[in-house]
Amino acid sequence: QKEVEQNSGPLSVPEGAIASLNCTYSDRGSQSFFWYRQYSGKSPELIMFIYSNGDKEDGRFTAQLNKASQYVSLLIRDSQPSDSATYLCAVIPEGGTSYGKLTFGQGTILTVHP
Amino acid sequence: DTEVTQTPKHLVMGMTNKKSLKCEQHMGHRAMYWYKQKAKKPPELMFVYSYEKLSINESVPSRFSPECPNSSLLNLHLHALQPEDSALYLCASSPTASNNEQFFGPGTRLTVL
């Protein structure tokens, strides 16, 4: 079983719609959760992090965490073509917090079409 | 300054060459990281430096040799690489190793001939 799982996509949404990206993780003791955006040929860019159950909003982005279900999601409201990228979910497993050992999912490709 | 910089942007080297990748940050971060990323794959952690000391080596072959001369600089020395080592090499930093919000540099695209 993979430690962090994401649907590879591609996920295609029309401009202005809500894009919903999902991620599940296997280590129940995981404490820290991150979403990175990576444009083709570029490096990952940190867009959201969440540590507590519930929702966290930042502009058009909302991260949702449910530790009981071992599930973290990213919602992008009013999607724009410029949001088209690969979105990487990353988790710090239990015991890894002190060492900065991020575990990445395989990434979901998002395409926003005009 | 909220940037992590990496040089060079591109590097082509032969299997007998010795080269170095350089990473620099001026955010006062005390943890720095090297990752390797192959096409259509997520980044793979190679090394973690915390307060200028190596804290994690993810069983990386000895042809990759990291160095942290000071809190702002991180180098990756390369020697006798193989063609399968061709990849995007990413440097990242975070305030500390336990504050895991990692910020990535633009990467060095390495090709080994």
Side-chain angles (χ1 to χ4, degrees), chain A residues 32 34 36 38 40-46 49 51 88 92 96-107 109, chain B residues 33 35 37 40-45 48 55-56 58 88 90 97-107 109:
Chain A
S32 308
F34 305 87
Y36 285 84
Q38 187 169 25
S40 181
K42 302 295 186 182
S43 62
E45 174 191 6
L46 180 62
F49 56 88
Y51 302 143
L88 295 161
I92 300 280
T97 303
S98 299
Y99 305 101
K101 190 170 177 178
L102 279 177
T103 299
F104 285 90
Q106 292 299 304
I109 298 170
Chain B
Y33 311 80
Y35 288 86
Q37 188 175 27
K40 301 190 187 302
K41 296 290 187 184
E44 298 174 38
L45 182 65
V48 179
S55 60
I56 291 182
E58 289 287 271
L88 180 67
L90 295 161
S98 57
N99 178 331
N100 305 129
E101 295 152 33
Q102 297 182 20
F103 297 91
F104 284 84
R109 178 75 59 187

Side-chain angles (χ1 to χ4, degrees), chain A residues 53-73:
Chain A
N53 274 331
D55 295 359
K56 179 181 178 182
E57 188 174 317
D58 184 2
R60 296 187 296 113
F61 299 102
T62 298
Q64 299 175 315
L65 176 61
N66 184 326
K67 289 186 178 180
S69 300
Q70 295 175 238
Y71 175 93
V72 58
S73 65

Side-chain angles (χ1 to χ4, degrees), chain B residues 48-108:
Chain B
V48 179
Y49 272 84
S50 178
Y51 291 92
E52 295 94 69
K53 292 186 179 174
L54 183 65
S55 60
I56 291 182
N57 176 340
E58 289 287 271
S59 302
V60 178
S62 60
R63 58 186 183 268
F64 295 91
S65 175
E67 178 196 20
C68 189
N70 59 54
S71 60
S72 301
L73 280 174
L74 186 65
N75 298 321
L76 185 63
H77 302 297
L78 314 173
H79 174 54
L81 295 192
Q82 305 297 310
E84 59 264 30
D85 295 322
S86 298
L88 180 67
Y89 286 84
L90 295 161
C91 174
S93 72
S94 64
T96 64
S98 57
N99 178 331
N100 305 129
E101 295 152 33
Q102 297 182 20
F103 297 91
F104 284 84
T108 294

